Amino acid sequence: MYSFGGYSHGHEYTTTDQISVLVFNTVSLRWTMLPGAAAATASTRERPPDVPSMRYGHRAMLIEDTVYIWGGCTWDSHFCTALYAFDVDSHRWLKPRVSGAVPEGRWGHSACVLGKAGYVFGGFLSVAQGCLDDMYKLDPATMAWSLIDTRGSTTPASACHSATAIRTKMFVFGGLNFNSQTYNSVRVFDAETSLWLSVSSAQIPEGRKREGHSAFAYNGELYIFGIWTNFGDLWKFNPESFSWKKVEPRGNGPCWRMCCCMVGDRLIVFGESRPNDLYILDLSPSLKTLCKLVVIRHGLDPQSGLPHDICWELVAMTTNSSPGSLHLHRNVIGDAGSHKLRNLRTVE
């Protein structure tokens, strides 16, 4: 799992600081910073021209083996319009030459991949101009931007919403328009027809309107996690029945987190409210995973006849990624509504 840039409390950055790239190994459960990804400063060296500057409110899109970074805001309040590409095999940055209708710089927009193209929707432009409701498409084969002439139902301008791809459709949820209006409804965009679909109002139960939440797709359904105001609840949305269902793992789960990423059947959530901790939610735990949790829960001796690989994984689950910097928790959801959660506080 790759993490690019973001806001760090207590740090000030300049345009000479290149974006940080952190990698989380989902097997060893360890964070590393890529070599050369540490921030450059004016007193040491200038940022390479093909590497993006440190920023926040940007979005990343993975298309085949390349991550495309676009948008966001720097610490001197500059909105970024350049497109950058990061090769996950070589770990090299490129600044592609683009053409077409390049979007206006913004932050808090959403981005997702439908087919082999990237789509960018909405975002915050300025206090005077407010939020946007435009949709742009990036074709990685030609490196051309295009403004999509969307049709169908009116979709409100918003920022800090989420956009999640499920098959050929983009599911946009939540957000706000910086005019004291927030949303808790689902809007659906069909990439094949460039049409905002006319759907019944599917507002999330319990009425909390959401911005700055996380969203992901799993088994053809949309999941929403958290809310800006520190709620850490998890909801599942069925795009066929257009209905919501609350998912309630047992135990003390995380509060709101800004970032989430699906790796196989596991959801990884981290960042924002407590930037140095991380949770893993296993949506389809194996018997091996359940057994490891029993060993930890009961304080059993891992050397008592357990296979070497399990002993190694137990150490990875119960020690810090870097001393004093990371607390790791593992949560488990079982099948058929049988939920089980276990928190693992790491030791140094």
Side-chain angles (χ1 to χ4, degrees):
M1 180 183 70
Y2 291 80
S3 174
F4 300 89
Y7 181 82
S8 180
H9 296 280
H11 289 79
E12 295 292 336
Y13 299 95
T14 69
T15 55
T16 60
D17 296 328
Q18 68 184 60
I19 197 167
S20 60
V21 183
L22 295 169
V23 183
F24 181 73
N25 187 310
T26 59
V27 177
S28 65
L29 306 181
R30 292 295 181 266
W31 284 104
T32 57
M33 178 174 284
L34 291 186
T41 64
S43 61
T44 56
R45 66 185 187 275
E46 291 297 320
R47 174 175 56 88
D50 291 344
V51 179
S53 60
M54 197 67 174
R55 63 193 62 194
Y56 63 92
H58 53 286
R59 294 295 177 265
M61 299 177 286
L62 175 64
I63 303 177
E64 295 183 337
D65 294 328
T66 303
V67 178
Y68 293 93
I69 302 289
W70 187 83
C73 186
T74 62
W75 268 253
D76 57 0
S77 299
H78 171 71
F79 289 105
C80 308
T81 59
L83 178 72
Y84 292 90
F86 179 82
D87 189 304
V88 297
D89 292 323
S90 64
H91 288 172
R92 293 179 63 88
W93 284 103
L94 296 172
K95 188 178 181 181
R97 185 186 297 274
V98 300
S99 61
V102 178
E104 294 179 90
R106 63 194 71 189
W107 70 269
H109 50 288
S110 62
C112 70
V113 178
L114 294 166
K116 292 186 178 181
Y119 289 79
V120 171
F121 170 70
F124 180 73
L125 192 60
S126 69
V127 174
Q129 296 172 285
C131 294
L132 300 164
D133 61 356
D134 51 6
M135 178 80 72
Y136 283 85
K137 176 182 177 180
L138 173 67
D139 184 348
T142 60
M143 282 298 137
W145 284 102
S146 58
L147 174 62
I148 299 178
D149 182 16
T150 61
R151 300 175 292 112
S153 301
T154 302
T155 298
S158 65
C160 301
H161 54 273
S162 62
T164 307
I166 301 179
R167 292 180 285 276
T168 63
K169 296 180 177 62
M170 174 193 292
F171 287 76
V172 176
F173 175 78
L176 73 165
N177 65 4
F178 289 92
N179 189 27
S180 300
Q181 185 173 5
T182 55
Y183 308 102
N184 65 348
S185 59
V186 176
R187 292 91 79 190
V188 183
F189 174 76
D190 189 331
E192 292 185 334
T193 61
S194 298
L195 184 70
W196 284 105
L197 301 181
S198 178
V199 295
S200 59
S201 177
Q203 295 190 347
I204 198 166
E206 298 189 359
R208 282 202 292 268
K209 298 182 178 181
R210 300 180 184 235
E211 72 279 352
H213 56 280
S214 298
F216 63 97
Y218 180 72
N219 285 346
E221 294 181 302
L222 172 68
Y223 286 76
I224 301 295
F225 176 75
I227 184 175
W228 190 284
T229 50
N230 218 30
F231 287 99
D233 51 357
L234 178 67
W235 290 84
K236 179 173 67 173
F237 176 77
N238 187 302
E240 301 297 331
S241 62
F242 233 68
S243 60
W244 289 98
K245 180 180 179 180
K246 192 171 186 179
V247 181
E248 298 189 40
R250 297 177 183 173
N252 298 318
C255 60
W256 165 69
R257 294 294 186 276
M258 192 67 173
C259 299
C260 75
C261 181
M262 284 297 298
V263 179
D265 293 318
R266 296 185 296 171
L267 173 70
I268 301 174
V269 291
F270 68 100
E272 194 57 40
S273 58
R274 288 189 62 188
N276 290 331
D277 67 1
L278 180 147
Y279 285 74
I280 297 177
L281 182 63
D282 198 330
L283 294 164
S284 183
S286 65
L287 179 60
K288 181 180 180 181
T289 296
L290 297 174
C291 289
K292 287 187 290 186
L293 294 178
V294 169
V295 171
I296 296 172
R297 182 181 305 119
H298 295 284
L300 303 179
D301 181 5
Q303 305 299 326
S304 301
L306 293 179
H308 175 76
D309 62 325
I310 293 182
C311 293
W312 181 88
E313 291 170 8
L314 286 167
V315 172
M317 291 171 64
T318 55
T319 57
N320 282 344
S321 174
S322 58
S325 68
L326 176 67
H327 291 290
L328 175 71
H329 308 259
R330 176 177 290 269
N331 304 336
V332 175
I333 287 186
D335 295 328
S338 177
H339 304 310
K340 202 169 194 176
L341 179 150
R342 175 67 177 171
N343 290 339
L344 305 179
R345 183 179 175 89
T346 61
V347 295
E348 305 209 353

